[in-house]
Amino acid sequence: MAPDALSETKVFVHVSGDCRRCNRLEAAVLPICAEQEFLAELKREGYTCDMLILSNRIQRLTFFGVFCVAWFNAYAGRPVEALSAPKKTVLVLYGDPLSAPADRMTEQGLTVALSSAHGWNLEVFSEYLDLMRFPAAQYGDDIVRFLRARHETRKPDVLITLANTTLQFVLDHRDDLFPGVPIVFANVDHREVEGKEMPPNITGLWMAWDYQRTLELALQLQSKTREVVCVSGTGVEEQAWNKEARKVLERFASQVRTRWLDKLPLQAVLDEVAELPPDSVVLYIPMQRDGAGQSVSPFEVARQLAEASRVPVYGLSLPQLQQGIIGGALLDFSEIGHKTAALAFRVLAGERPPTLSPPDPSTNPLLINWRALKKWHVSESRIPAEATVLYRDPSLWEKHPRLILATAAVVGLQSVLIVGLILQRSRRKRAEESLRDSEDRMSLAAEAANLGMWVWDVVKDEIWMTDKGRALFGIAPDTRLDYAALVARVHPEDRAARDAAIRRALETHGEYAMEHRVVLSDGQVRWIAGRGRADFGDGKPLRMRGVSRDCTAQKQADQETLLLRQEIAHVGRVSMMGQLASALAHEINQPLGAILRNTEAAELFTENESPDLDEIRAILADIRKDDQRAGSVIDRMRALLKRHDLETRPLDLGELVGDVASLARADAAARQVKLDVDVPGGLPLVRGDRVHLQQVLLNLILNGMDALNEVSRQERHVSVTARLDGAQTVEIAVSDTGHGIPADKLAHVFDPFFTTKPNGIGMGLPISRTIIEAHGGRLWAENNNGGGAAFRFTLPIAEEAAAG
Amino acid sequence: MSVTTPTVHIVDDDASFLAAASRLLRASGFAVKTFSSASDFLAQRDTDAPGCVVADLRMPEMNGLDLQSALARTRNPLPILFLTGQGDIPSSVRAMRGGAEDFLEKSAPKEKLVDAVKRALARDERQREERARQRELRARFDALSERELEVLGHVVQGRLNKQIADDLGIHERTVKLHRTAITTKLGVPSVAELTRLTLDAGIFTASASTFPKGQ
């Protein structure tokens, strides 16, 4: 916490803790203008302080409000009483400064208790008699005079004395100095009062060391102790204390030896304790006069002892703890101050001073100095439950929680940042690796697939193209490439189509895919399959990416496949014509016979003297008709027998089926088969190749007729029907009234070389299926419900017809 | 014996050939009737008319051979002459076995056709005369009583009067009486003549049951 921040901010401290002065929990809300030292001291004293930093006005006002209410609640009954209470005067007489620390602590306790006395209208005066240095025998009367003169107008209602000498002085001058004023004494050795006749109106507290519990504590903390070394002085008080101590030590005789260092000069004592064996402890009985007769401060001696001693020094008085002793059942002088004040209030209230009772040292708290514990390497685990450990070094965390938090936060943040950066770095590295990897794979794949990749910047009209791609188009590496340069390589016949496809892709935000030829510089023509996709920004084409591939080999293979398929189809047709030969001969002989008969008739008519010219004209017309009839049969045959490329164009189904029926009719007649054709007039045009489709129809009709060989003549029917199947296709069916296709053969009728006929080669149906599929249709077989089989196929409607 | 002019019946599903053939045969001096199918012919023809049939072998539904066998079952089985665009051997064999007059290609020369038609008509005439003679014979035999026919059956088999009398359980004199009645009614002088006439008339082929059993 920065001091400047403190000075600017009003801080309210809520103090609570185990108050060692009064040995009870105290809680208070103190409005203070905090200073760091003060807060630190509060903490050292074992309080917990909750600080509120009230940084703005509203918070401060709110807190004040709450605080005032709390304060009012706690002390509501008192203020009126306090204001109206009669003024009482308290005079405190302090003793000699040699035992200053003890007295000062008592004074502190007393002052706090008196100043926080609610309900009393008190005026407190203090006088320091310092009778050790200014003996009463010499200055007694002057002091009495001085005090009387000084407190003439403010006669004390109660007199509080601290230290033996002060009480003695007051008692000695009882008649001169404020006679009849009640006296409350404190910090008086019990021997001073024990057994003495005390005048009335005198009460007080005397102090007593708790050797017993101190020794118990020592043995508890250091169970291996064999010797207790008692350090003490040669003064009157010390001698009395030593006597008491010896008594107590006797009780521990079975556990430890005792050694006394009570007659040595201080320095000798210090030298001695520096050499003590580890299984010993020092018990320090406050020394006021050393073996050399020197007056010493027991408080200071405690410090020196603690510094010099090799083994822990146990003490009896609380102020010594701060000097470095390890602890003991310590007399708390500050609490004596509180108790004294309480006694004084009772006296002021008019209560009869309580009778003096022997002190109970067992209330002295067991206190342990944490720092000393560490210094002498005494295990903390042995500390009894009722003991309180003080001066515990605040842990680094307690000292600087914010700094540590901040540091930890910074370190944490930094770690997170570092980890984040490392992760990001490794991710980026991975991403880069995977990108490189995928690029490698891509180029490997592109290389392997003979793919040329390109990007066309539409705006700048610049084309980037891989070397492979350039090779495909016969363009040298490292030359600038634009659309026109690329087009120049495209076969002139394909340029318009390619342009149109690319333009469409640019206009429709789509893709283009097409195959075109390129002419290389040596005149060689290759086929390229190109595919591209346009990228758009703000609705405008920015660039187009794509791949190109040499598909010449594939084209050739396709061409060969097509030729082969056509060859097979042709073989199929020739074989079919063979089957039809006799029927077709009949079909041709029929008109030829008619022509002959007509000619012969005409000859006979002309031999008449008056020939019937009308008759002759009719004959000639019939001859012409029959000639055309014979010619058309031959034409149809020749068309079917010719080698023929697949050329699709819009076809009228009625016409197509009619042509085929007329070819098949003669055979149907010969086999006594009734051939029915039912093609509705309103059917749209289909797209297809006339010859190939006739081949399919003829094949299906002949198959149908073949299926009727076993059927009685009256039931031999083959029918060809057509109907619209959805918006895009027409379905044509060829049905017969035969015995149908056995279920186990239905799946195989389209297999090559599968046949049920004695003379069949099993190629008719596979060829038919190939032809129909080349038209984008489908050919399948099924058995009719009423008996017989049906072969059905679909054909696409011609686009013109579909659009119309 | 009919006095009607013999008619050439042409049956063909091909209208064009039907017309041409009809023209030629009319020009060649024949009376001609045309039918576009076998069933039309069977239904519409003059059942007693003399003549012949010129039919296409290959027709839908009822073909030439069917027509041939249907015609054979009628009282007026006209001779049939087949024409075909291109004849196959099994069909021609069947046609000839069925008693066809001839089997010609449609493009056969006029003379061949006209000759064949003439032959067919001549045959028809012959067959018709034969059928008339038979009918006349039968009428004579029809005059015989049951018993006389019975006796005739035995006579033509060369049995003696005595044997016939035993077989029939009648007197020999009665048998002689029956024989005299038979020869008188049939107008034949000798047994030999009687036997020839009986066989000609086909009496016992037509009615085998009249043959005596146990022979």
Side-chain angles (χ1 to χ4, degrees):
Chain A
M1 202 185 306
D4 54 343
L6 261 178
S7 63
E8 285 165 16
T9 314
K10 199 149 205 171
V11 179
F12 295 84
V13 186
H14 172 235
V15 184
S16 68
D18 197 5
C19 172
R20 66 170 193 276
R21 290 187 186 92
C22 54
N23 205 17
R24 65 166 188 274
L25 194 75
E26 240 183 28
V29 177
L30 306 173
I32 54 161
C33 244
E35 280 163 18
Q36 205 171 15
E37 288 84 351
F38 180 73
L39 292 171
E41 193 188 324
L42 277 174
K43 278 196 167 179
R44 263 205 308 282
E45 294 293 320
Y47 291 99
T48 62
C49 305
D50 296 327
M51 277 166 271
L52 279 171
I53 302 170
L54 304 172
S55 49
N56 66 41
R57 219 179 154 77
I58 293 171
Q59 281 184 357
R60 274 198 287 272
L61 281 173
T62 310
F63 188 85
F64 264 123
V66 172
F67 175 74
C68 289
V69 169
W71 189 84
F72 187 78
N73 282 346
Y75 308 112
R78 307 270 178 87
V80 182
E81 195 188 324
L83 288 173
S84 64
K87 190 169 194 161
K88 296 284 183 184
T89 308
V90 177
L91 174 59
V92 187
L93 300 176
Y94 293 97
D96 51 319
L98 275 179
S99 55
D103 278 353
R104 261 208 304 279
M105 281 178 74
T106 310
E107 183 186 339
Q108 267 176 11
L110 187 63
T111 313
V112 168
L114 290 178
S115 60
S116 62
H118 301 290
W120 291 97
N121 185 8
L122 277 189
E123 194 167 23
V124 181
F125 299 98
S126 301
E127 298 292 353
Y128 295 84
L129 303 187
D130 200 1
L131 293 167
M132 283 285 262
R133 283 179 289 184
F134 305 94
Q138 196 177 341
Y139 302 102
D141 292 339
D142 294 334
I143 293 170
V144 169
R145 238 188 337 271
F146 164 74
L147 287 176
R148 278 178 60 177
R150 198 153 138 136
H151 296 279
E152 187 70 62
T153 50
R154 296 185 186 84
K155 202 179 164 203
D157 294 298
V158 70
L159 202 61
I160 296 174
T161 71
L162 266 69
N164 292 342
T165 49
T166 319
L167 175 62
Q168 196 57 53
F169 174 82
V170 173
L171 288 176
D172 289 348
H173 299 88
R174 181 87 179 115
D175 298 335
D176 306 322
L177 190 64
F178 315 127
V181 174
I183 298 169
V184 176
F185 61 85
N187 286 9
V188 171
D189 194 86
H190 62 103
R191 284 168 293 99
E192 297 287 322
V193 282
E194 245 170 358
K196 281 187 183 170
E197 188 67 30
M198 280 287 170
N201 285 350
I202 293 184
T203 188
L205 296 163
W206 60 86
M207 55 182 199
W209 308 126
D210 192 343
Y211 309 102
Q212 173 79 24
R213 284 171 62 238
T214 301
L215 280 167
E216 279 170 8
L217 177 68
L219 295 177
Q220 165 78 26
L221 286 179
Q222 289 165 279
S223 56
K224 288 176 182 158
T225 303
R226 292 285 159 266
E227 190 177 52
V228 176
V229 178
C230 300
V231 173
S232 184
T234 53
V236 187
E237 283 189 309
E238 288 101 304
Q239 283 172 21
W241 291 337
N242 292 350
K243 226 158 94 188
E244 288 169 5
R246 275 177 219 277
K247 264 189 221 164
V248 176
L249 276 162
E250 272 168 26
R251 297 178 205 150
F252 295 88
S254 60
Q255 288 166 271
V256 291
R257 296 187 302 274
T258 313
R259 198 171 133 208
W260 283 88
L261 301 175
D262 57 343
K263 305 215 166 38
L264 297 175
L266 180 57
Q267 193 51 52
V269 171
L270 295 176
D271 292 346
E272 199 70 32
V273 294
E275 299 301 324
L276 287 176
D279 61 350
S280 54
V281 296
V282 173
L283 174 65
Y284 171 57
I285 298 161
M287 184 195 283
Q288 299 181 48
R289 191 178 295 275
D290 71 354
Q294 279 293 317
S295 192
V296 292
S297 158
F299 187 71
E300 180 58 24
V301 172
R303 189 185 63 75
Q304 287 175 323
L305 263 182
E307 259 178 29
S309 177
R310 229 181 119 189
V311 295
V313 178
Y314 290 84
L316 301 164
S317 155
L318 179 61
Q320 292 165 6
L321 196 65
Q322 231 176 330
Q323 301 303 309
I325 66 160
I326 195 163
L330 305 179
L331 187 62
D332 184 347
F333 291 95
S334 133
E335 202 192 329
I336 288 173
H338 280 269
K339 287 181 177 169
T340 308
L343 212 53
F345 286 131
R346 285 167 72 182
V347 170
L348 281 175
E351 209 178 300
R352 251 180 74 88
T355 48
L356 295 165
S357 57
D360 178 13
S362 67
T363 56
N364 292 358
L366 281 179
L367 296 172
I368 290 165
N369 182 344
W370 187 82
R371 290 176 204 154
L373 214 56
K374 292 289 142 195
K375 175 184 167 191
W376 283 300
H377 309 294
V378 177
S379 166
E380 254 181 280
S381 65
R382 307 195 60 89
I383 295 173
E386 67 267 27
T388 307
V389 178
L390 295 180
Y391 314 128
R392 193 186 281 278
D393 263 354
S395 64
L396 206 59
W397 165 248
E398 283 166 323
K399 267 189 201 158
H400 309 288
R402 276 161 199 260
L403 188 67
I404 291 170
L405 268 181
T407 311
V410 168
V411 169
L413 274 174
Q414 252 175 359
S415 307
V416 167
L417 201 68
I418 289 167
V419 168
L421 285 171
I422 289 171
L423 279 179
Q424 198 192 17
R425 190 181 131 83
S426 76
R427 241 200 324 260
R428 200 181 59 200
K429 224 167 137 181
R430 265 206 308 279
E432 277 171 2
E433 271 168 20
S434 94
L435 187 67
R436 203 177 311 126
D437 216 37
S438 92
E439 270 175 5
D440 284 353
R441 273 203 301 268
M442 183 109 136
S443 45
L444 195 69
E447 198 81 12
N450 257 352
L451 282 178
M453 292 187 281
W454 49 263
V455 179
W456 173 34
D457 187 324
V458 179
V459 182
K460 289 192 215 156
D461 187 18
E462 232 173 50
I463 296 176
W464 169 87
M465 200 174 210
T466 58
D467 290 349
K468 190 90 215 170
R470 285 169 178 264
L472 287 180
F473 281 83
I475 291 164
D478 306 327
T479 52
R480 192 187 177 277
L481 198 53
D482 57 17
Y483 189 74
L486 209 61
V487 167
R489 293 293 181 181
V490 176
H491 194 283
E493 286 175 19
D494 294 344
R495 279 178 199 166
R498 186 173 177 277
D499 271 352
I502 289 175
R503 206 173 313 118
R504 196 159 49 240
L506 291 179
E507 280 164 8
T508 60
H509 294 213
E511 295 185 6
Y512 93 92
M514 77 166 302
E515 289 172 356
H516 60 83
R517 287 163 290 176
V518 294
V519 184
L520 303 184
S521 46
D522 57 1
Q524 197 190 345
V525 174
R526 309 285 296 172
W527 277 92
I528 302 285
R531 177 179 281 276
R533 183 187 299 148
D535 276 356
F536 284 80
D538 299 329
K540 282 182 190 159
L542 294 180
R543 66 187 78 79
M544 182 176 256
R545 304 167 202 276
V547 288
S548 298
R549 170 173 67 84
D550 187 324
C551 64
T552 312
Q554 191 193 332
K555 272 275 170 193
Q556 279 166 354
D558 284 354
Q559 201 63 37
E560 278 161 20
T561 307
L562 190 69
L563 283 174
L564 197 63
R565 203 167 60 198
Q566 283 168 357
E567 194 60 34
I568 291 170
H570 179 246
V571 168
R573 287 200 300 277
V574 170
S575 130
M576 217 155 51
M577 285 297 117
Q579 286 180 51
L580 281 177
S582 85
L584 289 174
H586 179 263
E587 196 72 355
I588 292 165
N589 280 338
Q590 201 89 324
L592 288 182
I595 288 168
L596 182 62
R597 296 288 92 94
N598 274 324
T599 319
E600 288 161 350
E603 279 166 5
L604 291 176
F605 283 129
T606 50
E607 282 167 15
N608 282 355
E609 281 180 14
S610 54
D612 184 346
L613 288 178
D614 284 346
E615 184 74 54
I616 290 169
R617 260 183 229 112
I619 286 172
L620 289 175
D622 279 0
I623 287 173
R624 180 185 294 273
K625 200 176 74 193
D626 281 327
D627 179 75
Q628 281 166 348
R629 193 156 68 115
S632 76
V633 173
I634 291 165
D635 283 349
R636 276 199 292 272
M637 267 175 65
R638 205 173 49 196
L640 278 174
L641 286 171
K642 205 166 65 172
R643 279 166 211 280
H644 176 82
D645 292 350
L646 191 114
E647 288 170 17
T648 63
R649 50 171 58 101
L651 296 177
D652 181 79
L653 258 186
E655 219 174 88
L656 186 82
V657 175
D659 276 357
V660 174
S662 55
L663 269 176
R665 196 147 269 141
D667 197 36
R671 302 197 208 184
Q672 312 251 288
V673 174
K674 193 157 178 284
L675 178 60
D676 295 323
V677 171
D678 176 22
V679 178
L683 277 183
L685 302 181
V686 293
R687 172 158 289 280
D689 178 276
R690 175 179 295 276
V691 170
H692 284 104
L693 292 180
Q694 282 181 346
Q695 176 178 0
V696 171
L697 269 172
L698 198 54
N699 179 238
L700 297 181
I701 292 169
L702 292 181
N703 281 349
M705 296 200 293
D706 285 343
L708 298 172
N709 288 342
E710 313 273 300
V711 178
S712 78
R713 284 206 236 149
Q714 286 71 35
E715 288 166 17
R716 293 180 184 174
H717 292 291
V718 169
S719 59
V720 182
T721 55
R723 66 182 181 88
L724 205 56
D725 175 34
Q728 302 298 324
T729 50
V730 172
E731 185 189 287
I732 298 107
V734 179
S735 330
D736 61 62
T737 51
H739 296 309
I741 303 165
D744 58 322
K745 291 181 177 153
L746 199 56
H748 300 290
V749 292
F750 292 103
D751 294 350
F753 309 114
F754 177 88
T755 182
T756 56
K757 300 176 209 164
N759 306 320
I761 57 162
M763 282 310 290
L765 284 174
I767 291 169
S768 295
R769 178 170 266 186
T770 311
I771 290 172
I772 292 302
E773 283 172 358
H775 280 77
R778 212 156 63 79
L779 168 62
W780 71 100
E782 59 193 34
N783 283 317
N784 290 325
N785 288 335
F791 284 81
R792 296 171 189 278
F793 64 91
T794 56
L795 286 175
I797 287 170
E799 271 166 38
E800 299 91 304
Chain B
M1 186 90 44
S2 170
V3 290
T4 325
T5 326
T7 309
V8 180
H9 303 82
I10 308 176
V11 184
D12 199 320
D13 62 318
D14 189 302
S16 179
F17 186 82
L18 201 59
S22 155
R23 268 190 201 116
L24 174 67
L25 292 176
R26 269 192 281 116
S28 305
F30 299 103
V32 175
K33 272 189 178 167
T34 58
F35 303 91
S36 64
S37 74
S39 45
D40 278 4
F41 165 71
L42 289 173
Q44 292 165 17
R45 69 170 182 141
D46 180 350
T47 47
D48 290 329
C52 70
V53 178
V54 176
D56 189 352
L57 189 63
R58 192 179 284 190
M59 285 185 292
E61 294 171 35
M62 192 179 224
N63 66 18
L65 295 174
D66 298 331
L67 175 60
Q68 185 179 29
S69 53
L71 196 59
R73 285 192 295 270
T74 64
R75 286 198 305 115
N76 184 15
L78 298 173
I80 190 157
L81 165 66
F82 284 120
L83 290 179
T84 179
Q86 196 191 29
D88 53 293
I89 291 160
S91 300
S92 26
V93 168
R94 271 175 67 201
M96 298 311 281
R97 256 194 210 147
E101 177 58 42
D102 214 336
F103 194 92
L104 294 176
E105 290 203 355
K106 280 192 171 172
S107 49
K110 176 187 75 177
E111 291 71 25
K112 251 188 158 176
L113 176 64
V114 172
D115 285 354
V117 169
K118 280 182 178 162
R119 268 201 307 277
L121 288 178
R123 185 171 163 192
D124 181 56
E125 202 181 336
R126 261 199 327 276
Q127 285 177 346
R128 206 164 276 278
E129 281 169 5
E130 182 61 23
R131 280 202 297 275
R133 204 171 64 83
Q134 294 256 340
R135 266 200 300 280
E136 189 259 337
L137 266 178
R138 270 188 198 239
R140 282 198 258 168
F141 280 97
D142 282 349
L144 301 182
S145 73
E146 284 282 314
R147 199 47 139 182
E148 286 163 351
L149 267 177
E150 208 172 352
V151 173
L152 178 62
H154 286 83
V155 173
V156 295
Q157 288 181 47
R159 293 180 74 85
L160 304 173
N161 287 350
K162 191 177 186 239
Q163 287 172 317
I164 296 169
D166 277 359
D167 286 347
L168 300 175
I170 52 172
H171 284 284
E172 202 179 336
R173 226 161 37 102
T174 314
V175 173
K176 280 183 181 170
L177 206 68
H178 280 315
R179 288 181 67 146
T180 312
I182 292 167
T183 46
T184 312
K185 278 181 181 175
L186 293 178
V188 285
S190 67
V191 171
E193 186 67 8
L194 183 68
T195 306
R196 192 191 58 79
L197 195 67
T198 307
L199 286 176
D200 259 11
I203 297 294
F204 296 115
T205 41
S207 167
S209 63
T210 54
F211 277 103
K213 288 174 180 148
Q215 281 286 308

